[in-house]
Amino acid sequence: MKVIRLHKKESFNLNKLRRQDRREQKRLYERYAPKMLSVARMYIKDLQFAEDSMLRAFVKVFSKINQFDEKGSLEGWIRRIVVREAIDFLRKKQNLMFEEKLENLSQQSCEQPSLDRQQIANDLQQALDLLPAGYRSVFVLFEVEDFSHKQIAECCNISVGTSKSQLAKAKKMLQDIIKNSNSWKDGSMG
């Protein structure tokens, strides 16, 4: 049996990146831009704004590459910059509206009929797009980026209680969206 590598591990010359070598920057951008656009898109509903946010993040990556301490992966460092840039974008657009009231909401599991991965990803993105920006940001930071509530609170300038409340509300809203899947696919919620 022959083993086929699905993911090619690419290494980048950090010295070249630190010297602002344009070819190495282009290689890095071409390797990570599609994945980082997906990350930005989880936070920002509009594709063009997500692209703008991702581009600003890469400008920061290239200008602050000397601050990369090589303790973690380069991809993880870039991802963190993209996440923070997306949150900054939302904050500037005043789309982050957080409620301070903590509610106890039951969390129910939802089962989705088996679909191909791309369809599930598309459906999930559509469902995330229907969430208010604050709910979406906290949900993605907690469930996808694996931030703690304390980290989310610091990142978004909210309290830990607000982070927990927003997560619970986002989960409840997503459950409702999925239950009413016929209505969320056409952009309405009811």
Side-chain angles (χ1 to χ4, degrees):
M1 177 179 355
K2 184 177 180 181
V3 176
I4 300 172
R5 287 188 178 230
L6 296 177
H7 302 286
K8 183 172 87 173
K9 182 169 177 155
E10 240 178 295
S11 61
F12 295 94
N13 186 325
L14 284 175
N15 289 330
K16 284 184 178 182
L17 287 170
R18 288 180 173 131
R19 289 192 312 261
Q20 303 296 315
D21 181 281
R22 297 294 181 216
R23 286 185 184 160
E24 197 69 5
Q25 288 175 336
K26 182 180 180 194
R27 278 186 15 148
L28 182 79
Y29 177 82
E30 288 174 348
R31 169 68 176 92
Y32 291 117
K35 189 181 287 188
M36 295 306 137
L37 179 58
S38 294
V39 171
R41 185 70 180 79
M42 283 190 266
Y43 295 90
I44 302 171
K45 191 175 188 175
D46 185 277
L47 179 61
Q48 284 75 29
F49 288 134
E51 287 174 342
D52 289 346
S53 180
M54 181 209 54
L55 289 172
R56 280 192 300 279
F58 269 99
V59 168
K60 284 184 180 178
V61 165
F62 296 138
S63 66
K64 297 180 185 262
I65 192 71
N66 289 328
Q67 294 177 12
F68 176 60
D69 59 11
E70 301 182 52
K71 288 182 181 172
S73 72
L74 181 60
E75 180 180 352
W77 184 72
I78 294 169
R79 184 182 189 100
R80 204 165 212 41
I81 292 171
V82 171
V83 167
R84 293 193 186 279
E85 190 62 37
I87 290 170
D88 286 347
F89 168 81
L90 292 172
R91 196 178 290 135
K92 287 176 189 168
K93 291 293 183 184
Q94 297 178 352
N95 284 336
L96 289 176
M97 298 295 176
F98 293 101
E99 297 176 14
E100 290 292 332
K101 201 173 180 183
L102 179 63
E103 296 178 4
N104 292 327
L105 297 172
S106 64
Q107 298 177 4
Q108 304 167 354
S109 63
C110 296
E111 291 188 17
Q112 184 77 355
S114 66
L115 300 169
D116 65 63
R117 286 178 163 236
Q118 187 59 45
Q119 184 62 44
I120 291 171
N122 290 340
D123 290 350
L124 179 58
Q125 186 62 60
Q126 287 178 354
L128 286 172
D129 286 347
L130 293 174
L131 292 177
Y135 290 16
R136 183 174 56 248
S137 295
V138 170
F139 179 83
V140 172
L141 285 169
F142 188 84
E143 296 295 342
V144 178
E145 302 297 333
D146 204 28
F147 278 39
S148 69
H149 285 294
K150 183 179 179 188
Q151 291 170 315
I152 294 169
E154 291 169 1
C155 182
C156 296
N157 295 325
I158 59 174
S159 71
V160 171
T162 298
S163 174
K164 290 178 180 180
S165 172
Q166 295 298 305
L167 178 63
K169 291 175 184 178
K171 286 181 176 182
K172 175 67 173 140
M173 190 176 231
L174 281 171
Q175 289 172 358
D176 292 343
I177 290 168
I178 291 169
K179 284 179 186 174
N180 300 315
S181 63
N182 292 334
S183 63
W184 70 266
K185 287 189 179 185
D186 68 5
S188 64
M189 287 234 356

